[in-house]
Amino acid sequence: FFFTFVCRRANMSARVYSKTAKSPRRPFEKERLDAELKLLGEYGLKNKREVWRVNLQVAKMRKAARELLTLDEHDPKRIFEGAALLRRLHNYGILPENQNQLDYVLGLTVNNLLERRLQTLVFKLGFAKSIHQARVFIRQRHIRVGKQLVDIPSFMVRVENQNLIDFAHTSPFGGGRPGRVARKRANKNKGDDDDM
């Protein structure tokens, strides 16, 4: 009661925050460390927390599917929530359209989610020469999805938006004005021509 009173007085809402990543129980397990390092390199991730975050997302999806599978097949909750979960996974391309049963959700891996990140798709669609350059392009605001400029490498791309990934209109790669260094060089070259 006192907390809500203080929140109202300060004109702020009482928000409940939850952790987005869960650190591993055993910090020095060699197999896990090697697997995480491989994922970091393969998908150009910044740190281990990005892997742990995706691990937690996969765990939550699988847990939801496991709980729904314990219910009766004709249970309205299982039908409704199961369909919603599968629809979400199909929309994001995490599960293929032909896999439309809850059993397939239990087989999800971290790679299924990492493949749908904007960073991975920018590289795979050929906008960047490497997975690391893809991350830099996104952070430097060179990439848009449809009309929306996206500067978050972990942005999950829907299947319908995959064809809309392109360079931003303001980017030098997308027909915008040249970058700072290119403008500087152009001015320098123009100055050299005037001297002659």
Side-chain angles (χ1 to χ4, degrees):
F1 171 76
F2 177 72
F3 180 70
T4 46
F5 175 73
V6 170
C7 287
R8 281 203 193 119
R9 287 292 302 250
N11 196 14
M12 59 187 201
S13 61
R15 284 207 188 116
V16 180
Y17 293 102
S18 60
K19 285 191 172 183
T20 56
K22 186 175 182 289
S23 56
R25 261 196 211 122
R26 294 182 176 165
F28 304 111
E29 206 173 8
K30 184 152 176 40
E31 293 81 37
R32 190 191 44 65
L33 288 172
D34 292 343
E36 284 175 354
L37 200 61
K38 191 175 177 220
L39 284 173
L40 252 65
E42 192 180 339
Y43 293 101
L45 306 178
K46 183 175 69 167
N47 53 31
K48 296 279 181 83
R49 194 183 293 120
E50 289 198 323
V51 177
W52 299 341
R53 187 175 65 210
V54 178
N55 265 330
L56 186 63
Q57 289 171 344
V58 171
K60 282 181 177 175
M61 287 174 199
R62 290 173 65 178
K63 184 182 178 188
R66 246 194 332 271
E67 285 175 1
L68 291 172
L69 282 167
T70 59
L71 301 172
D72 180 52
E73 207 166 308
H74 304 293
D75 191 308
K77 181 180 177 177
R78 175 172 169 170
I79 294 166
F80 184 75
E81 289 186 15
L85 177 64
L86 287 168
R87 187 173 60 246
R88 231 176 5 246
L89 293 174
H90 292 321
N91 284 348
Y92 281 101
I94 297 165
L95 270 185
E97 285 290 334
N98 59 357
Q99 297 182 356
N100 51 4
Q101 287 181 314
L102 283 172
D103 298 325
Y104 290 111
V105 180
L106 298 179
L108 278 181
T109 61
V110 176
N111 293 51
N112 295 115
L113 262 77
L114 292 175
E115 286 290 335
R116 299 303 305 166
R117 284 166 52 103
L118 179 62
Q119 180 181 356
T120 311
L121 290 172
V122 165
F123 170 57
K124 296 220 165 151
L125 293 171
F127 291 106
K129 292 175 186 169
S130 73
I131 195 88
H132 305 291
Q133 188 183 37
R135 190 179 184 100
V136 172
F137 277 173
I138 295 165
R139 287 301 298 150
Q140 292 180 353
R141 302 166 65 86
H142 289 299
I143 303 291
R144 66 185 165 93
V145 179
K147 291 181 180 176
Q148 179 187 12
L149 197 146
V150 183
D151 65 347
I152 295 151
S154 62
F155 179 83
M156 296 300 274
V157 181
R158 288 170 177 264
V159 176
E160 67 209 33
N161 294 340
Q162 188 168 331
N163 301 330
L164 304 176
I165 297 172
D166 200 3
F167 285 116
H169 298 303
T170 53
S171 164
F173 305 109
R177 74 176 194 158
R180 182 179 62 85
V181 176
R183 289 198 307 271
K184 202 171 180 180
R185 283 193 187 134
N187 285 340
K188 186 180 175 193
N189 290 343
K190 199 193 298 180
D192 291 346
D193 294 343
D194 292 345
D195 292 343
M196 291 178 187

